[in-house]
Structure formats: structure tokens, C-alpha cells
Amino acid sequence: MIITEARPAAQGSADLIRSAVVAGLITSFEVAAGAVVVEGSRLMLHGWTIAYARHGLGWTGAAQREPVCLGGLSGSGLVPESVSGSDDVDWVLALPGARLSELRGTMAELADVCQAWGSAVAALHRCGIPAGAQAPAAPRPWVLDPERLPRSMRQLPAASARAFVLRTLSSDRALRRTVDRVADRWTADRWIHGELSADRVLVQRTPEVRVRFVDLSIAGLGDPGWDLAGAVETVAELTGGSRAPWGSASEVCLRDYLLQGYRRAGGPAVVTAGTRALRVVGRAWQVAAALDQRATHPATMHPAAGYAGEATRLTRQLALARDLAERSARPGLVAA
């Protein structure tokens, strides 16, 4: 995708330009010709984004996780490749394609995308750990440890939408039992992405449909069922009405194509009703956080806050989570 017209690089970008030349991403002739542009961390050549700079010195925690995971999954064809520049700068190569949130198409075209997406998720879950490579544990989702939430999640205004989500999680018996079951079954023996939302999945449609993943800030070894359930919920968010990115396309059909692609590619996970329930709670938290940020009225769940549509969406998500939690108590039942 063309981002901008090429123009001479700013003097302040000289260090990144030199690093990109050392990495072999650009040549000094292209720099001299004015074909190179650096905007923030983004490197562009002739108007095309070709790489992003990552400064390695001082990386800690989640910021350090992504380069480690990119290194562990190097050569898989599922994530961006990284190359070393000069000093402390590494470069992450840009990937072709559009994000799922930007994708449009017929039902048949979306079905092909979902099958390829499922196959790519299966390939990720089946990736081995190369000798000498690092594979950090993926962080456990906060919803599996609601009794040990960080202080920032516990100190919330009682009338906030986020507090409403936490009260629902703690007060609903079916959800509490589901938390215990899913937490007890959590594994950390497969590569997972951690958050397969519509902005973290890239689709290249020509010459054939190919799916890759970006933003591995919470990736690592974890439970593949959590990943797969997240993809199922993303399909639900992309469909279901004129305002949804994929319009009125059938959620059930596209979900089935996603799971068919996953199973045909030998994916090891299944989606249980319990895992889906907690995934829905996690997405409800994101909706609640957006509500709290936008609403000016202190009682954000009240229509007077001016966001009755978002509040309705939130309550429907929590109702779905409770329903899935009830279903999860039935032995052997899978949600999808």
C-alpha cells in the first residue's frame, strides 16, 4: 500500500538512515536520490513502507517479548522477519496485505480468507522451537486470575463500565466456575499469538490468499484454545449488521470455514464454551474501557451518558458470556 509521496529524509533521521543502509534495506544511491523517507519508526522507499525500526537497548517486559518471539518464529512465514541494523537498532520488515478490519469482499471471498486464516493459526500452533531459540511463556490472561488484578484494574469508579464488567465476572456463579475450569486447564506448550484481533491479522489476496500475524507483544508459549477462541470472537465482531466491517455476512458460516481451515491443517485446539465465555468477557472489557474514555456522564452505563448503543452492546456481550458459561458446565460440549 502506498503511504505517501517520496521526499528527502529529514536530517534528524540520519541515524536510522545509516542503520537501514547497514542492514541492506536501502542503498546510499537511493538516499542521495531522495527516494528514502523516515517518519517516526517507519522506513519508506519510493513511497512504500518497507520496514519499521525497533530500538533494542533497554527493552524490558512486553517490549522485549516481540523481538524474542519474532526470532523464535523466524522462517515460519507467519510473522514479519527482522534484520539487524547498526548499534541498537533492529528492523522489522513490512508485510504485504490488508488488515482484516480493512478487508471487504463477497461471502465466497471471505470464506476463502477465513479458511486461510484458520490454516495459518494451525501452522502457528504447530511451530516447533528451533534449537537455541528462546520461547517465552505468554502472559496468562487477566480474566483467568480475577482475584489478582493489577491495582489499575481494581481502583475504578463504581459507576464505570469497567467496574460493571468486573462485578459481573465476580457475581455470576457460572462465570466464576468457568474461570476455575479454564484456568486449571491452561497449558503453555504451544506457540500462540495471544490476541488475534482484526488489526493484528494481515491478508494478502494475490497471487493466492495468504495470512500472517503482526504485533506479537503478548505472544509466546500458551494455550492454543485461547488463540482459536479469540479468532472465533473476531469473526463475530466483523459480522452481524450494516455497521460491521463484513456487513451481514453469516457469522456461523465464516466461523465454520475458519475452524475447517484450522482442523484440515492439523491444528491441536478445540474451542470450548468456557473459553469462549471468558474471551467474550475480555472483549467486553475493551468495550467498557472505550465507553469510560468517551463518556462524559459519570454513570457510563446510563443512556444519559450519550452512548446508549455502546452500553447496549456491552450488556449483550456480558449476557452472551453468561450463556456460554452455563453451556460450559455440560460435559463434552464444545462451542464451535
Side-chain angles (χ1 to χ4, degrees), residues 291-300 304-307:
L291 253 177
D292 288 340
Q293 187 174 17
R294 295 172 60 190
T296 56
H297 191 282
T300 56
Y307 299 99

Side-chain angles (χ1 to χ4, degrees), residues 36 64 133 142 153 167 178 252 255 278 304 330 334 336:
V36 177
Q64 190 178 34
W142 67 264
M153 294 182 68
R167 284 196 300 272
T178 298
V252 174
R255 182 187 67 196
L278 300 188
R330 305 174 197 173
V334 294

Side-chain angles (χ1 to χ4, degrees), residues 117-136:
W117 181 14
S119 296
V121 175
L124 174 64
H125 293 168
R126 295 181 61 193
C127 278
I129 305 173
Q134 294 178 292

Side-chain angles (χ1 to χ4, degrees), residues 120-334:
V121 175
L124 174 64
H125 293 168
R126 295 181 61 193
C127 278
I129 305 173
Q134 294 178 292
R140 280 171 64 91
W142 67 264
V143 73
L144 299 186
D145 296 298
E147 304 301 323
R148 293 189 291 274
L149 297 176
R151 182 175 299 179
S152 61
M153 294 182 68
R154 288 185 279 116
Q155 295 181 341
L156 299 169
S160 69
R162 286 168 296 169
F164 177 70
V165 172
L166 295 181
R167 284 196 300 272
T168 301
L169 183 61
S170 64
S171 63
D172 188 271
R173 291 184 178 180
L175 280 173
R176 291 205 312 270
R177 290 193 296 264
T178 298
V179 168
D180 292 339
R181 281 195 298 268
V182 176
D184 288 344
R185 295 171 185 169
W186 176 269
T187 61
D189 56 358
R190 299 274 185 171
W191 279 109
I192 68 170
H193 180 278
E195 185 52 69
L196 291 173
S197 61
D199 287 330
R200 292 176 168 88
V201 179
L202 291 183
V203 180
Q204 181 181 357
R205 303 177 75 167
T206 57
E208 60 182 2
V209 179
R210 185 173 182 182
V211 174
R212 302 178 182 91
F213 309 113
V214 295
D215 189 356
L216 277 72
S217 58
I218 58 173
L221 297 183
D223 191 331
W226 186 255
D227 246 12
L228 190 56
V232 167
E233 293 313 311
T234 296
V235 170
E237 290 184 348
L238 290 170
T239 56
S242 58
R243 291 189 175 185
W246 292 355
S248 299
S250 170
E251 173 192 343
V252 174
C253 288
L254 293 180
R255 182 187 67 196
D256 288 347
Y257 279 112
L258 169 74
L259 295 172
Q260 184 183 70
Y262 184 83
R263 290 164 184 154
R264 285 182 174 178
V270 295
V271 181
T272 67
T275 306
R276 274 198 67 193
L278 300 188
R279 268 296 193 179
V280 174
V281 171
R283 295 290 170 87
W285 173 269
Q286 296 171 357
V287 173
L291 253 177
D292 288 340
Q293 187 174 17
R294 295 172 60 190
T296 56
H297 191 282
T300 56
M301 292 303 298
H302 194 280
Y307 299 99
E310 287 88 340
T312 298
R313 178 187 172 199
L314 177 58
T315 54
R316 286 177 176 172
Q317 283 183 312
L318 293 176
L320 173 60
R322 291 194 296 268
D323 178 64
L324 287 166
E326 291 284 356
R327 292 174 57 192
S328 72
R330 305 174 197 173
L333 182 69
V334 294

